[in-house]
Amino acid sequence: MSVEKKVISILREHGYKLTPQRKAILDVISRSRSHLTPAEVYEKVRRQYPDIGLVTVYRTLELLARLGFICEVRGNDNNRSYLLRRSFSHHHHLICSGCNKVIDFNECDLADMERKITESTGFSIESHLVEFTGKCKECLQGETVKC
């Protein structure tokens, strides 16, 4: 099944359609190799759809993230950015506070913590997201080079 057919199928499953605007937003994100802010997505989509509103972009990004098509990352300034989810496996993010690079990682051993939290609070955990912020290797090397 093609990615577009999969998107259409999942959207329909949840009562949505793949509108031309949603498709354009998904296309912009899928062509990008780096995380895009909503403003960057908006500027790129406006080239094809000059009348698209920023609110439409925000709502579509929220929908696509909620349905698992894109990853949402919050940077140091708490601004959001988005990237196509190329791997549908469970993963988390390392966010560089120097250059804003985002690195995915799969190591996740939080089952015991989730169980303890559920037992102590009665909260039913459905999912979790872990984001670590720090400096990537390149930024750290750049800091040691400066004199």
Side-chain angles (χ1 to χ4, degrees):
M1 179 183 296
S2 74
V3 173
E4 187 171 328
K5 286 183 181 180
K6 185 175 184 175
V7 169
I8 291 169
S9 171
I10 292 173
L11 284 170
R12 278 191 188 148
E13 219 174 273
H14 290 87
Y16 299 99
K17 294 180 181 177
L18 183 61
T19 64
Q21 294 85 352
R22 287 180 181 150
K23 183 176 181 336
I25 291 166
L26 197 54
D27 288 345
V28 162
I29 293 173
S30 67
R31 286 193 303 271
S32 177
R33 294 291 170 228
S34 61
H35 284 252
L36 297 172
T37 65
E40 291 168 329
V41 172
Y42 174 67
E43 287 304 317
K44 290 174 185 278
V45 172
R46 273 188 44 189
R47 294 177 192 152
Q48 187 177 359
Y49 293 95
D51 294 336
I52 194 165
L54 187 56
V55 172
T56 299
V57 171
Y58 272 100
R59 286 183 181 154
T60 301
L61 291 172
E62 288 173 9
L63 173 66
L64 295 173
R66 190 172 63 245
L67 295 178
F69 294 118
I70 60 177
C71 291
E72 177 185 75
V73 175
R74 292 181 188 226
N76 298 329
D77 51 6
N78 209 24
N79 285 333
R80 296 177 181 155
S81 63
Y82 299 87
L83 182 71
L84 185 70
R85 183 180 292 262
R86 299 190 192 292
S87 164
F88 285 94
S89 63
H90 183 75
H91 72 278
H92 301 289
H93 303 114
L94 301 171
I95 306 167
C96 180
S97 58
C99 65
N100 290 320
K101 179 183 350 180
V102 178
I103 301 167
D104 293 344
F105 69 96
N106 294 323
E107 293 81 20
C108 181
D109 190 17
L110 298 176
D112 191 44
M113 180 189 292
E114 283 186 4
R115 182 186 53 74
K116 287 178 184 176
I117 291 170
T118 298
E119 288 173 359
S120 67
T121 65
F123 191 85
S124 175
I125 297 172
E126 297 171 351
S127 180
H128 67 265
L129 172 66
V130 176
E131 293 180 349
F132 291 103
T133 57
K135 298 277 176 102
C136 69
K137 184 171 38 174
E138 290 81 9
C139 286
L140 286 172
Q141 288 173 347
E143 286 179 359
T144 59
V145 172
K146 293 179 184 175
C147 294

